[in-house]
Amino acid sequence: MTIATTRSTTTSPTLAPATYELERQLRTLRVSGMAQTLLARNQEAIANHLAYTEFLMLLVDDEFARRRDRLFTRRLTSARVPQFKTLESFDWSFNPQIPKALILDLATVRFVPEHGGLLLLGPPGTGKSHIALSLTVAAIQAGYTALYRSALDLAQDLAEAEATGTRPEFIRKLTRVDLLVIEDLGMRRLPPTAAEDLLEIFTRRYETGAILVSSNRPLEDWAQVLGDTAAAGALLDRFLHHADIIRLQGRSWRVHDRQRRRTQDNANAAIPREP
């Protein structure tokens, strides 16, 4: 049995009101994905002589897709991701020595349920932020929760939580999120409590949650960066136990892009204009 009918929904005096009433009921039931595509799917079912179950399957797929997209948007906002990046837009050819195969393997985000880690080391402009953002987006697309903060922002968040008496709740949030991303460790001076704060976070997440860190400072500088040799050693001991280290080297892509734009602007300016 199929849904097909010889009458068009645009000319039938009875089908259209029933369809719109069904759409209203679907919205009342809060299945807005089905309601939104009902009219189009109905036309598709008539045109292709679909069975009732096939028509219903299309509507259910639409509902799942809408809920998945809304959940992704909510988790992306909650993760405080500053930019939407994917590895599809990454310029692999600029620095050929970047370990593409390893990074693409990490993009499967298997390290997240394994409670592993990733450390991206390298000078500014070598792709650390793009990779970190892309892996965070990939984790959220895979259904995981994430939180993306710079080391300085995280330190300020902790200081604010301490001042407002909400530190225990904030620490629980940092502990429970599936993937914690800390960017630019060592880029700016951290407050005196940063070493103890970060050690507490890494200790609580040890073998219970994944961590991704990016830094422009080599590991031997972390004691100086954190201002506490013992805390830095304990932190690295826990973090590196289950973490991959990717060292990015080469020229700065930002400098290269700025020079390319300047060259292009000069070339455009040299083109004579028609009178």
Side-chain angles (χ1 to χ4, degrees), residues 45-210:
I46 293 172
N48 295 296
H49 305 284
L50 299 182
Y52 290 120
T53 52
E54 293 174 310
F55 170 62
L56 181 60
M57 180 67 73
L58 291 174
L59 286 178
V60 172
D61 286 343
D62 292 337
E63 180 62 29
F64 273 117
R66 181 174 177 82
R67 294 191 180 195
R68 184 171 57 248
D69 291 344
R70 292 176 66 179
L71 178 61
F72 171 74
T73 300
R74 287 198 303 271
R75 287 184 170 176
L76 196 65
T77 301
S78 179
R80 307 179 76 172
V81 174
Q83 291 178 292
F84 186 92
K85 296 281 189 180
T86 68
L87 291 178
E88 293 178 357
S89 61
F90 190 80
D91 187 358
W92 301 101
S93 62
F94 178 67
N95 282 325
Q97 64 268 42
I98 290 178
K100 180 178 180 179
L102 175 57
I103 293 172
L104 291 178
D105 181 66
L106 289 166
T108 63
V109 297
R110 287 197 300 267
F111 72 97
V112 176
E114 294 172 354
H115 305 149
L118 174 62
L119 175 59
L120 301 172
L121 293 176
T126 50
K128 299 188 303 298
S129 293
H130 194 137
I131 294 171
L133 286 166
S134 298
L135 295 182
T136 304
V137 170
I140 296 172
Q141 288 174 328
Y144 299 108
T145 58
L147 180 63
Y148 192 104
R149 303 297 283 157
S150 72
L152 181 62
D153 286 339
L154 182 58
Q156 293 175 340
D157 291 342
L158 286 162
E160 181 179 347
E162 182 71 34
T164 57
T166 59
R167 180 185 172 91
E169 292 83 354
F170 186 61
I171 291 295
R172 281 196 292 270
K173 178 181 179 180
L174 295 177
T175 303
R176 293 174 180 174
V177 71
D178 295 320
L179 173 63
L180 176 62
V181 182
I182 304 175
E183 188 183 26
D184 289 335
L185 181 63
M187 182 67 72
R188 300 180 63 179
R189 184 182 299 275
L190 298 176
T193 60
E196 293 182 2
D197 289 336
L198 288 175
L199 178 58
E200 179 180 1
I201 294 168
F202 277 71
T203 299
R204 289 178 179 271
R205 292 187 63 83
Y206 177 60
E207 296 188 333
T208 64

Side-chain angles (χ1 to χ4, degrees), residues 7-18:
R7 292 186 296 181
S8 169
T9 57
T10 59
T11 59
S12 170
T14 58
L15 183 57

Side-chain angles (χ1 to χ4, degrees), residues 40 169 220 259 272:
E169 292 83 354
E220 53 268 23
Q259 293 173 341

